Amino acid sequence: MESAGPPIQKPMSSPSHRIANPRDHDFETRLRAAKGGAEWAWAEIYRDLAGTVTGYLANRGAAEPDDLTSETFLQIARNIATFNGDESAFRSWVFVIAHRRLIDSRRARQRRPETVTLPDPTGGGAGGDVEEEALDRLTTVELQAAFEKLSESQSDVLGLRIIAQLTLEETASVLGKRVGAVKAAQRRGLLALTNHLDIDGVTR
Amino acid sequence: MRFPGDYLGEMPTKELFDREIELLFAGTPVEGGRLSGLAPVVEVIRGQWTPAPSESEIVHFARSAASVVKTTQSRARVVTTVPPRRLSPRLDPTWRLATVALAVLLMSGTAGMAMAADSAVPGDALYGVDLAFERVGIGSGSAEERLEEAIVMAAQSRSSEALAHAIDALSKQTGDSSVMAVNALTTASENLVDTQDTAEAAAAASLRVTALLTYIADNIGIDVGRDGREFGQGVAELARDIGKGDDPTGAPNPAVAPAPGQGQSNNPGAGPGNDGSNDGTGPGNGNSNGNSNGDGNENGQDNGPPVESPSVTAPSQDNGSPVESPSVTAPSQDNGPLVESPTVTTPRSGTNTEDSPAATAPGKKDKP
């Protein structure tokens, strides 16, 4: 395995909240390996991102989130040669593709997102705390409903910020918006969420 | 980054709120802030709405992706090239130059059309054009090309169509490997019928079909002796896999170790160091640049002579295709603009769902 890579590029924006990243060089290596068709690299990429991509797609009303996830990642594999950049840019790129896939599939179905099919959050929690399970389930159902009441751009932004865990700048670049617009959307979206969920400052 | 609480108080409301939001998303919400009630919500969403992929799913994807990358890599080429657009004949004193440039423009217009059509798959608007071009000898129309089309179809979750397309093409071929491939593909079609029950299974099957077709495309033509047997076993295994449930973990992996002697990739088990000049980290796009040079075999691909693929002889699929040559050679004198050209893309990108966003500018929404 080659360790001496080219000089690490400066990150476009520094992700402030994701686990502080001592892995920049790792990413560089991984990207090179992925471009060379190394399976381990693709496994790592998929392990890192598939969950958030599926979650994002499901939350945004994809009818078949798993299918779309496969398509997204296959497209990433086909186009990896055209990608240059750091890990942050890569995450953005992945979600650009996922987002476009989502829009394409919606267009193909000629309908707006309807019901969100979320993975069963409490799937087979063998005899756990029943009350807590019920609470979680309630929360999920409520959350889902609350999300559906948001405007399209608010859901886009909140989906990318919360589920995909992108930074402000990354989110802006995925959606082709200005950072200011993203900020405004998330302010309104979060306030709307608190209202819909009837949360006031101190819950739990 | 942390923002001390006392500092917060001095900020204008809006910015204060933005800080609060950032802290919420960072998992360290401000105690008693307007958004602290959302903290558990964020936690629940992040914990439960992002299903971690299963190990078998990961392994399977990794396998498909690796073979897709290798196939794409060995086929990568410039689909459309627009000659440098600085010609303004009226102002240019050298009319002759302008005329030549115009001729080049016209020629590569046709060639560009041929190439755009060349990457069409059945179901695309341009597919008819593709076939027409092939009838007059532009674009090989070889079994190999049909296989490429089938791979794209499989990746579009059109598994059964893809298999039928590939069977159709290969059954016109002679040679042991074609026969083996057709057998395997037939098995695969039969298995496929059983797996289409759920969307999940269909997606998994689509990946498997992609892997099978990619393996065939990479290795067909090697039909003598031991290698031939290896090929036969490889395709048979992959075909059997399609009937399996969702656990490709235990399956042997012929796709990683293609039979020796294949003409298109010298990266069989590519580690990170194997990609040499193809890593794209240099200025511009290493991969397509290398291919656009016409003679650019920097990738080391296609170093096996076509002699090695006797049964499906389609050397024109590779770098030296007659289709590519007009427009590939034309701009090769001028690589600068070509590299930046957004039209550089991988082959088979002619479908409507396909888009290759420029990696360096992900914010551009060219398909709103």
Side-chain angles (χ1 to χ4, degrees), chain A residues 76-137:
Chain A
I76 290 164
R78 280 201 302 276
N79 294 342
I80 190 71
T82 67
F83 175 82
N84 291 302
D86 61 10
E87 185 161 14
S88 160
F90 185 72
R91 286 180 76 95
S92 305
W93 186 59
V94 167
F95 280 95
V96 168
I97 292 175
H99 191 72
R100 288 185 185 171
R101 283 275 163 186
L102 176 72
I103 289 169
D104 279 351
S105 80
R106 275 187 202 162
R107 205 179 285 147
R109 285 167 183 276
Q110 290 293 328
R111 63 177 193 222
R112 266 187 51 86
E114 292 166 8
T115 330
V116 182
T117 37
L118 291 168
D120 183 359
T122 53
D129 185 347
V130 179
E131 196 172 317
E132 189 160 308
E133 250 175 49
L135 188 74
D136 276 352
R137 185 176 285 281

Short mmCIF file of all heavy atoms in Angstrom, two decimals, chain A residues 76-137:
data_model
loop_
_atom_site.label_atom_id
_atom_site.label_comp_id
_atom_site.label_asym_id
_atom_site.label_seq_id
_atom_site.Cartn_x
_atom_site.Cartn_y
_atom_site.Cartn_z
N ILE A 76 -21.53 7.09 -8.06
CA ILE A 76 -20.29 7.59 -7.48
C ILE A 76 -19.12 6.76 -8.00
O ILE A 76 -18.08 7.30 -8.38
CB ILE A 76 -20.37 7.52 -5.94
CG1 ILE A 76 -21.36 8.56 -5.44
CG2 ILE A 76 -19.00 7.74 -5.32
CD1 ILE A 76 -21.81 8.34 -4.02
N ALA A 77 -19.32 5.46 -8.05
CA ALA A 77 -18.25 4.60 -8.55
C ALA A 77 -17.93 4.91 -10.01
O ALA A 77 -16.77 4.99 -10.39
CB ALA A 77 -18.64 3.13 -8.39
N ARG A 78 -18.98 5.14 -10.79
CA ARG A 78 -18.73 5.41 -12.20
C ARG A 78 -18.02 6.73 -12.42
O ARG A 78 -17.26 6.89 -13.35
CB ARG A 78 -20.05 5.40 -12.99
CG ARG A 78 -20.54 4.03 -13.33
CD ARG A 78 -21.52 4.08 -14.49
NE ARG A 78 -22.65 4.94 -14.20
CZ ARG A 78 -23.73 4.53 -13.54
NH1 ARG A 78 -23.81 3.30 -13.09
NH2 ARG A 78 -24.73 5.34 -13.30
N ASN A 79 -18.33 7.69 -11.54
CA ASN A 79 -17.80 9.03 -11.78
C ASN A 79 -16.63 9.40 -10.88
O ASN A 79 -16.21 10.55 -10.88
CB ASN A 79 -18.91 10.07 -11.59
CG ASN A 79 -19.99 9.93 -12.62
OD1 ASN A 79 -19.78 9.31 -13.67
ND2 ASN A 79 -21.16 10.47 -12.35
N ILE A 80 -16.13 8.46 -10.15
CA ILE A 80 -15.11 8.81 -9.15
C ILE A 80 -13.89 9.45 -9.79
O ILE A 80 -13.25 10.29 -9.19
CB ILE A 80 -14.71 7.56 -8.33
CG1 ILE A 80 -13.85 7.93 -7.14
CG2 ILE A 80 -13.98 6.54 -9.19
CD1 ILE A 80 -14.60 8.64 -6.05
N ALA A 81 -13.62 9.08 -11.03
CA ALA A 81 -12.44 9.65 -11.69
C ALA A 81 -12.56 11.16 -11.85
O ALA A 81 -11.56 11.86 -11.93
CB ALA A 81 -12.23 9.00 -13.05
N THR A 82 -13.78 11.65 -11.89
CA THR A 82 -13.95 13.09 -12.09
C THR A 82 -13.89 13.86 -10.79
O THR A 82 -13.97 15.07 -10.79
CB THR A 82 -15.31 13.41 -12.75
OG1 THR A 82 -16.35 13.09 -11.83
CG2 THR A 82 -15.50 12.62 -14.01
N PHE A 83 -13.81 13.14 -9.67
CA PHE A 83 -13.83 13.86 -8.40
C PHE A 83 -12.42 14.22 -7.95
O PHE A 83 -11.52 13.38 -7.95
CB PHE A 83 -14.50 13.03 -7.31
CG PHE A 83 -14.42 13.69 -5.96
CD1 PHE A 83 -15.32 14.68 -5.62
CD2 PHE A 83 -13.39 13.38 -5.08
CE1 PHE A 83 -15.21 15.33 -4.41
CE2 PHE A 83 -13.28 14.03 -3.87
CZ PHE A 83 -14.19 15.00 -3.53
N ASN A 84 -12.25 15.46 -7.55
CA ASN A 84 -11.01 15.88 -6.91
C ASN A 84 -11.38 16.74 -5.72
O ASN A 84 -12.21 17.64 -5.85
CB ASN A 84 -10.15 16.70 -7.85
CG ASN A 84 -9.60 15.85 -8.97
OD1 ASN A 84 -8.91 14.86 -8.72
ND2 ASN A 84 -9.94 16.21 -10.19
N GLY A 85 -10.79 16.47 -4.59
CA GLY A 85 -11.09 17.31 -3.44
C GLY A 85 -10.89 16.56 -2.15
O GLY A 85 -10.46 15.40 -2.14
N ASP A 86 -11.20 17.23 -1.06
CA ASP A 86 -10.99 16.62 0.24
C ASP A 86 -12.26 15.90 0.71
O ASP A 86 -13.23 15.78 -0.02
CB ASP A 86 -10.54 17.69 1.25
CG ASP A 86 -11.61 18.76 1.42
OD1 ASP A 86 -12.73 18.57 0.92
OD2 ASP A 86 -11.32 19.78 2.05
N GLU A 87 -12.21 15.46 1.95
CA GLU A 87 -13.30 14.65 2.45
C GLU A 87 -14.60 15.44 2.52
O GLU A 87 -15.68 14.93 2.21
CB GLU A 87 -12.95 14.10 3.84
CG GLU A 87 -14.00 13.15 4.36
CD GLU A 87 -13.49 12.26 5.47
OE1 GLU A 87 -12.40 12.57 6.02
OE2 GLU A 87 -14.15 11.28 5.80
N SER A 88 -14.47 16.70 2.93
CA SER A 88 -15.66 17.53 3.01
C SER A 88 -16.30 17.69 1.64
O SER A 88 -17.51 17.53 1.48
CB SER A 88 -15.26 18.90 3.59
OG SER A 88 -16.23 19.86 3.27
N ALA A 89 -15.45 17.96 0.66
CA ALA A 89 -15.97 18.10 -0.71
C ALA A 89 -16.59 16.79 -1.17
O ALA A 89 -17.58 16.78 -1.88
CB ALA A 89 -14.83 18.52 -1.65
N PHE A 90 -16.00 15.70 -0.74
CA PHE A 90 -16.52 14.40 -1.15
C PHE A 90 -17.92 14.17 -0.60
O PHE A 90 -18.82 13.73 -1.30
CB PHE A 90 -15.57 13.29 -0.69
CG PHE A 90 -15.98 11.92 -1.18
CD1 PHE A 90 -15.83 11.57 -2.50
CD2 PHE A 90 -16.53 10.99 -0.31
CE1 PHE A 90 -16.22 10.32 -2.96
CE2 PHE A 90 -16.93 9.74 -0.76
CZ PHE A 90 -16.77 9.41 -2.08
N ARG A 91 -18.08 14.49 0.68
CA ARG A 91 -19.41 14.32 1.28
C ARG A 91 -20.44 15.16 0.53
O ARG A 91 -21.53 14.71 0.24
CB ARG A 91 -19.40 14.74 2.76
CG ARG A 91 -18.73 13.77 3.66
CD ARG A 91 -18.78 14.28 5.09
NE ARG A 91 -20.10 14.11 5.68
CZ ARG A 91 -20.43 13.06 6.43
NH1 ARG A 91 -19.54 12.13 6.68
NH2 ARG A 91 -21.62 12.96 6.95
N SER A 92 -20.06 16.39 0.24
CA SER A 92 -20.98 17.25 -0.50
C SER A 92 -21.32 16.62 -1.83
O SER A 92 -22.48 16.58 -2.24
CB SER A 92 -20.36 18.62 -0.76
OG SER A 92 -19.95 19.20 0.44
N TRP A 93 -20.30 16.11 -2.48
CA TRP A 93 -20.49 15.54 -3.81
C TRP A 93 -21.45 14.36 -3.75
O TRP A 93 -22.36 14.22 -4.57
CB TRP A 93 -19.13 15.11 -4.35
CG TRP A 93 -19.12 14.63 -5.76
CD1 TRP A 93 -19.51 15.33 -6.86
CD2 TRP A 93 -18.70 13.35 -6.22
NE1 TRP A 93 -19.34 14.55 -7.98
CE2 TRP A 93 -18.84 13.34 -7.63
CE3 TRP A 93 -18.18 12.21 -5.58
CZ2 TRP A 93 -18.50 12.23 -8.41
CZ3 TRP A 93 -17.84 11.12 -6.36
CH2 TRP A 93 -18.01 11.12 -7.75
N VAL A 94 -21.23 13.52 -2.75
CA VAL A 94 -22.11 12.36 -2.58
C VAL A 94 -23.57 12.81 -2.42
O VAL A 94 -24.47 12.26 -3.05
CB VAL A 94 -21.68 11.52 -1.35
CG1 VAL A 94 -22.76 10.51 -0.97
CG2 VAL A 94 -20.37 10.82 -1.63
N PHE A 95 -23.76 13.85 -1.63
CA PHE A 95 -25.14 14.28 -1.41
C PHE A 95 -25.69 15.07 -2.60
O PHE A 95 -26.90 15.11 -2.79
CB PHE A 95 -25.27 15.04 -0.09
CG PHE A 95 -25.36 14.09 1.07
CD1 PHE A 95 -24.23 13.73 1.78
CD2 PHE A 95 -26.57 13.49 1.40
CE1 PHE A 95 -24.31 12.82 2.82
CE2 PHE A 95 -26.66 12.58 2.43
CZ PHE A 95 -25.53 12.24 3.15
N VAL A 96 -24.81 15.68 -3.36
CA VAL A 96 -25.30 16.29 -4.60
C VAL A 96 -25.90 15.19 -5.47
O VAL A 96 -27.01 15.32 -6.00
CB VAL A 96 -24.15 16.98 -5.38
CG1 VAL A 96 -24.61 17.33 -6.78
CG2 VAL A 96 -23.69 18.21 -4.66
N ILE A 97 -25.18 14.11 -5.59
CA ILE A 97 -25.65 13.01 -6.43
C ILE A 97 -26.93 12.41 -5.85
O ILE A 97 -27.91 12.19 -6.57
CB ILE A 97 -24.55 11.95 -6.59
CG1 ILE A 97 -23.40 12.53 -7.40
CG2 ILE A 97 -25.10 10.70 -7.27
CD1 ILE A 97 -22.20 11.63 -7.52
N ALA A 98 -26.93 12.19 -4.54
CA ALA A 98 -28.12 11.62 -3.91
C ALA A 98 -29.33 12.53 -4.12
O ALA A 98 -30.42 12.08 -4.46
CB ALA A 98 -27.87 11.41 -2.42
N HIS A 99 -29.08 13.81 -3.94
CA HIS A 99 -30.16 14.79 -4.06
C HIS A 99 -30.72 14.79 -5.48
O HIS A 99 -31.93 14.84 -5.69
CB HIS A 99 -29.62 16.18 -3.69
CG HIS A 99 -30.67 17.21 -3.52
ND1 HIS A 99 -31.52 17.22 -2.44
CD2 HIS A 99 -31.00 18.27 -4.28
CE1 HIS A 99 -32.35 18.24 -2.57
NE2 HIS A 99 -32.05 18.90 -3.67
N ARG A 100 -29.83 14.74 -6.46
CA ARG A 100 -30.30 14.73 -7.85
C ARG A 100 -31.04 13.45 -8.19
O ARG A 100 -32.02 13.47 -8.93
CB ARG A 100 -29.13 14.91 -8.80
CG ARG A 100 -28.62 16.31 -8.73
CD ARG A 100 -27.54 16.52 -9.75
NE ARG A 100 -26.98 17.85 -9.59
CZ ARG A 100 -25.91 18.26 -10.23
NH1 ARG A 100 -25.32 17.44 -11.06
NH2 ARG A 100 -25.45 19.47 -10.03
N ARG A 101 -30.52 12.37 -7.67
CA ARG A 101 -31.21 11.09 -7.87
C ARG A 101 -32.63 11.19 -7.31
O ARG A 101 -33.58 10.71 -7.90
CB ARG A 101 -30.47 9.97 -7.14
CG ARG A 101 -29.24 9.53 -7.86
CD ARG A 101 -29.61 8.52 -8.90
NE ARG A 101 -28.56 8.37 -9.87
CZ ARG A 101 -28.67 7.63 -10.95
NH1 ARG A 101 -29.79 6.99 -11.20
NH2 ARG A 101 -27.68 7.54 -11.79
N LEU A 102 -32.71 11.79 -6.15
CA LEU A 102 -34.01 11.94 -5.49
C LEU A 102 -34.95 12.75 -6.37
O LEU A 102 -36.10 12.35 -6.61
CB LEU A 102 -33.81 12.64 -4.15
CG LEU A 102 -35.06 12.96 -3.35
CD1 LEU A 102 -35.65 11.69 -2.78
CD2 LEU A 102 -34.74 13.92 -2.22
N ILE A 103 -34.45 13.86 -6.86
CA ILE A 103 -35.29 14.72 -7.69
C ILE A 103 -35.69 14.00 -8.97
O ILE A 103 -36.85 14.03 -9.38
CB ILE A 103 -34.54 16.04 -8.01
CG1 ILE A 103 -34.46 16.86 -6.72
CG2 ILE A 103 -35.25 16.80 -9.10
CD1 ILE A 103 -33.53 18.04 -6.81
N ASP A 104 -34.73 13.30 -9.57
CA ASP A 104 -35.05 12.54 -10.78
C ASP A 104 -36.12 11.50 -10.51
O ASP A 104 -37.02 11.31 -11.32
CB ASP A 104 -33.79 11.82 -11.29
CG ASP A 104 -32.91 12.76 -12.09
OD1 ASP A 104 -33.37 13.88 -12.36
OD2 ASP A 104 -31.78 12.38 -12.41
N SER A 105 -36.00 10.83 -9.38
CA SER A 105 -36.96 9.76 -9.14
C SER A 105 -38.34 10.34 -8.85
O SER A 105 -39.35 9.77 -9.22
CB SER A 105 -36.51 8.87 -7.98
OG SER A 105 -36.80 9.47 -6.75
N ARG A 106 -38.35 11.49 -8.22
CA ARG A 106 -39.64 12.14 -7.98
C ARG A 106 -40.27 12.54 -9.29
O ARG A 106 -41.46 12.35 -9.51
CB ARG A 106 -39.45 13.41 -7.17
CG ARG A 106 -39.41 13.16 -5.70
CD ARG A 106 -39.39 14.52 -5.05
NE ARG A 106 -38.85 14.43 -3.73
CZ ARG A 106 -38.39 15.47 -3.06
NH1 ARG A 106 -38.40 16.66 -3.63
NH2 ARG A 106 -37.93 15.32 -1.86
N ARG A 107 -39.43 13.10 -10.15
CA ARG A 107 -39.94 13.54 -11.43
C ARG A 107 -40.47 12.33 -12.19
O ARG A 107 -41.50 12.39 -12.83
CB ARG A 107 -38.80 14.20 -12.21
CG ARG A 107 -39.28 15.19 -13.22
CD ARG A 107 -38.09 15.80 -13.92
NE ARG A 107 -37.38 16.78 -13.12
CZ ARG A 107 -36.07 16.98 -13.19
NH1 ARG A 107 -35.33 16.24 -14.00
NH2 ARG A 107 -35.49 17.90 -12.47
N ALA A 108 -39.73 11.25 -12.10
CA ALA A 108 -40.14 10.03 -12.80
C ALA A 108 -41.50 9.56 -12.28
O ALA A 108 -42.31 9.03 -13.01
CB ALA A 108 -39.10 8.95 -12.62
N ARG A 109 -41.71 9.76 -11.03
CA ARG A 109 -42.97 9.30 -10.46
C ARG A 109 -44.06 10.36 -10.56
O ARG A 109 -45.20 10.13 -10.19
CB ARG A 109 -42.77 8.93 -8.99
CG ARG A 109 -42.06 7.64 -8.88
CD ARG A 109 -41.57 7.40 -7.48
NE ARG A 109 -40.83 6.17 -7.46
CZ ARG A 109 -41.40 4.97 -7.34
NH1 ARG A 109 -42.70 4.88 -7.18
NH2 ARG A 109 -40.67 3.88 -7.36
N GLN A 110 -43.64 11.52 -11.01
CA GLN A 110 -44.62 12.60 -11.21
C GLN A 110 -45.47 12.87 -9.98
O GLN A 110 -46.68 13.00 -10.05
CB GLN A 110 -45.55 12.27 -12.38
CG GLN A 110 -44.89 12.32 -13.72
CD GLN A 110 -44.46 13.71 -14.12
OE1 GLN A 110 -45.10 14.68 -13.74
NE2 GLN A 110 -43.37 13.83 -14.82
N ARG A 111 -44.82 12.89 -8.87
CA ARG A 111 -45.62 13.24 -7.71
C ARG A 111 -44.71 13.80 -6.63
O ARG A 111 -43.54 13.51 -6.59
CB ARG A 111 -46.38 12.05 -7.18
CG ARG A 111 -45.47 10.96 -6.68
CD ARG A 111 -46.28 9.86 -6.11
NE ARG A 111 -45.43 8.96 -5.35
CZ ARG A 111 -45.55 7.65 -5.40
NH1 ARG A 111 -46.46 7.08 -6.11
NH2 ARG A 111 -44.74 6.89 -4.68
N ARG A 112 -45.31 14.54 -5.78
CA ARG A 112 -44.56 15.09 -4.67
C ARG A 112 -44.35 14.02 -3.64
O ARG A 112 -45.06 13.03 -3.59
CB ARG A 112 -45.35 16.25 -4.05
CG ARG A 112 -44.96 17.61 -4.59
CD ARG A 112 -45.66 18.69 -3.80
NE ARG A 112 -45.47 18.53 -2.36
CZ ARG A 112 -44.45 19.00 -1.69
NH1 ARG A 112 -43.51 19.65 -2.31
NH2 ARG A 112 -44.37 18.83 -0.39
N PRO A 113 -43.38 14.21 -2.79
CA PRO A 113 -43.16 13.19 -1.75
C PRO A 113 -44.41 13.03 -0.90
O PRO A 113 -45.05 14.01 -0.54
CB PRO A 113 -42.03 13.79 -0.93
CG PRO A 113 -42.02 15.24 -1.26
CD PRO A 113 -42.46 15.32 -2.67
N GLU A 114 -44.75 11.81 -0.66
CA GLU A 114 -45.93 11.60 0.17
C GLU A 114 -45.51 11.11 1.54
O GLU A 114 -44.94 11.82 2.32
CB GLU A 114 -46.84 10.59 -0.52
CG GLU A 114 -47.45 11.17 -1.79
CD GLU A 114 -48.06 10.09 -2.63
OE1 GLU A 114 -48.15 8.94 -2.16
OE2 GLU A 114 -48.44 10.38 -3.76
N THR A 115 -45.75 9.85 1.74
CA THR A 115 -45.43 9.33 3.06
C THR A 115 -43.97 8.97 3.14
O THR A 115 -43.41 8.44 2.20
CB THR A 115 -46.25 8.07 3.36
OG1 THR A 115 -47.47 8.18 2.65
CG2 THR A 115 -46.47 7.92 4.82
N VAL A 116 -43.41 9.27 4.24
CA VAL A 116 -42.02 8.93 4.45
C VAL A 116 -41.96 7.52 5.02
O VAL A 116 -42.63 7.22 6.01
CB VAL A 116 -41.39 9.91 5.46
CG1 VAL A 116 -39.93 9.58 5.65
CG2 VAL A 116 -41.57 11.32 4.98
N THR A 117 -41.21 6.69 4.35
CA THR A 117 -41.04 5.35 4.92
C THR A 117 -39.74 5.30 5.67
O THR A 117 -38.67 5.24 5.07
CB THR A 117 -41.01 4.29 3.80
OG1 THR A 117 -40.31 4.85 2.70
CG2 THR A 117 -42.41 3.89 3.39
N LEU A 118 -39.84 5.32 6.95
CA LEU A 118 -38.65 5.31 7.76
C LEU A 118 -38.36 3.89 8.19
O LEU A 118 -39.28 3.09 8.36
CB LEU A 118 -38.85 6.17 9.00
CG LEU A 118 -38.95 7.65 8.71
CD1 LEU A 118 -39.42 8.38 9.94
CD2 LEU A 118 -37.59 8.16 8.27
N PRO A 119 -37.11 3.60 8.35
CA PRO A 119 -36.78 2.29 8.89
C PRO A 119 -37.38 2.17 10.29
O PRO A 119 -37.41 3.15 11.02
CB PRO A 119 -35.26 2.31 8.95
CG PRO A 119 -34.88 3.76 8.88
CD PRO A 119 -35.95 4.43 8.11
N ASP A 120 -37.86 1.00 10.60
CA ASP A 120 -38.47 0.81 11.91
C ASP A 120 -37.45 1.10 13.00
O ASP A 120 -36.46 0.38 13.12
CB ASP A 120 -38.96 -0.63 12.03
CG ASP A 120 -39.67 -0.85 13.35
OD1 ASP A 120 -39.75 0.11 14.13
OD2 ASP A 120 -40.13 -1.98 13.57
N PRO A 121 -37.67 2.16 13.73
CA PRO A 121 -36.67 2.60 14.69
C PRO A 121 -36.49 1.63 15.84
O PRO A 121 -35.42 1.51 16.40
CB PRO A 121 -37.21 3.93 15.19
CG PRO A 121 -38.68 3.86 14.95
CD PRO A 121 -38.89 2.96 13.77
N THR A 122 -37.55 0.95 16.21
CA THR A 122 -37.45 0.09 17.39
C THR A 122 -37.37 -1.36 16.98
O THR A 122 -37.67 -2.24 17.76
CB THR A 122 -38.67 0.29 18.29
OG1 THR A 122 -39.84 0.09 17.51
CG2 THR A 122 -38.67 1.67 18.88
N GLY A 123 -36.97 -1.57 15.74
CA GLY A 123 -37.00 -2.90 15.15
C GLY A 123 -36.54 -4.01 16.09
O GLY A 123 -35.36 -4.17 16.37
N GLY A 124 -37.48 -4.80 16.53
CA GLY A 124 -37.18 -5.99 17.32
C GLY A 124 -36.42 -5.72 18.60
O GLY A 124 -35.54 -6.48 18.96
N GLY A 125 -36.70 -4.64 19.24
CA GLY A 125 -36.06 -4.38 20.53
C GLY A 125 -36.55 -5.40 21.54
O GLY A 125 -37.55 -5.21 22.21
N ALA A 126 -35.87 -6.53 21.62
CA ALA A 126 -36.37 -7.69 22.36
C ALA A 126 -36.69 -7.33 23.81
O ALA A 126 -35.81 -7.24 24.66
CB ALA A 126 -35.36 -8.82 22.32
N GLY A 127 -37.95 -7.11 24.04
CA GLY A 127 -38.45 -6.91 25.41
C GLY A 127 -37.75 -5.82 26.17
O GLY A 127 -37.48 -5.97 27.36
N GLY A 128 -37.42 -4.72 25.51
CA GLY A 128 -36.74 -3.64 26.22
C GLY A 128 -37.72 -2.88 27.10
O GLY A 128 -38.80 -3.38 27.43
N ASP A 129 -37.36 -1.70 27.41
CA ASP A 129 -38.24 -0.88 28.21
C ASP A 129 -39.44 -0.45 27.37
O ASP A 129 -39.32 0.37 26.46
CB ASP A 129 -37.47 0.35 28.70
CG ASP A 129 -38.32 1.18 29.64
OD1 ASP A 129 -39.54 0.95 29.71
OD2 ASP A 129 -37.76 2.05 30.29
N VAL A 130 -40.58 -1.04 27.66
CA VAL A 130 -41.75 -0.83 26.82
C VAL A 130 -42.14 0.64 26.76
O VAL A 130 -42.44 1.19 25.70
CB VAL A 130 -42.95 -1.66 27.34
CG1 VAL A 130 -44.16 -1.41 26.47
CG2 VAL A 130 -42.61 -3.12 27.36
N GLU A 131 -42.08 1.27 27.91
CA GLU A 131 -42.51 2.66 27.94
C GLU A 131 -41.61 3.53 27.08
O GLU A 131 -42.07 4.36 26.31
CB GLU A 131 -42.49 3.17 29.38
CG GLU A 131 -43.28 4.45 29.57
CD GLU A 131 -43.38 4.78 31.04
OE1 GLU A 131 -43.64 3.88 31.84
OE2 GLU A 131 -43.17 5.94 31.38
N GLU A 132 -40.34 3.28 27.21
CA GLU A 132 -39.39 4.08 26.45
C GLU A 132 -39.54 3.83 24.95
O GLU A 132 -39.47 4.74 24.14
CB GLU A 132 -37.96 3.74 26.87
CG GLU A 132 -36.94 4.69 26.28
CD GLU A 132 -35.65 4.67 27.06
OE1 GLU A 132 -35.70 4.84 28.30
OE2 GLU A 132 -34.61 4.45 26.43
N GLU A 133 -39.77 2.57 24.62
CA GLU A 133 -40.00 2.22 23.23
C GLU A 133 -41.19 3.00 22.68
O GLU A 133 -41.14 3.55 21.60
CB GLU A 133 -40.28 0.73 23.09
CG GLU A 133 -39.16 -0.01 22.42
CD GLU A 133 -39.44 -1.50 22.41
OE1 GLU A 133 -40.54 -1.90 22.03
OE2 GLU A 133 -38.53 -2.25 22.82
N ALA A 134 -42.25 2.98 23.45
CA ALA A 134 -43.47 3.67 23.02
C ALA A 134 -43.17 5.15 22.83
O ALA A 134 -43.60 5.77 21.86
CB ALA A 134 -44.58 3.48 24.04
N LEU A 135 -42.41 5.69 23.75
CA LEU A 135 -42.05 7.10 23.68
C LEU A 135 -41.27 7.38 22.41
O LEU A 135 -41.55 8.32 21.68
CB LEU A 135 -41.22 7.46 24.91
CG LEU A 135 -40.95 8.95 25.08
CD1 LEU A 135 -42.20 9.67 25.54
CD2 LEU A 135 -39.82 9.16 26.08
N ASP A 136 -40.27 6.52 22.17
CA ASP A 136 -39.46 6.69 20.97
C ASP A 136 -40.30 6.63 19.71
O ASP A 136 -40.14 7.42 18.80
CB ASP A 136 -38.38 5.61 20.91
CG ASP A 136 -37.18 6.01 21.73
OD1 ASP A 136 -37.16 7.17 22.20
OD2 ASP A 136 -36.28 5.19 21.93
N ARG A 137 -41.18 5.65 19.69
CA ARG A 137 -42.01 5.48 18.52
C ARG A 137 -42.88 6.71 18.30
O ARG A 137 -43.00 7.21 17.19
CB ARG A 137 -42.87 4.22 18.66
CG ARG A 137 -43.66 3.93 17.42
CD ARG A 137 -44.41 2.63 17.59
NE ARG A 137 -43.53 1.48 17.47
CZ ARG A 137 -43.11 1.01 16.29
NH1 ARG A 137 -43.49 1.59 15.19
NH2 ARG A 137 -42.33 -0.03 16.23
#
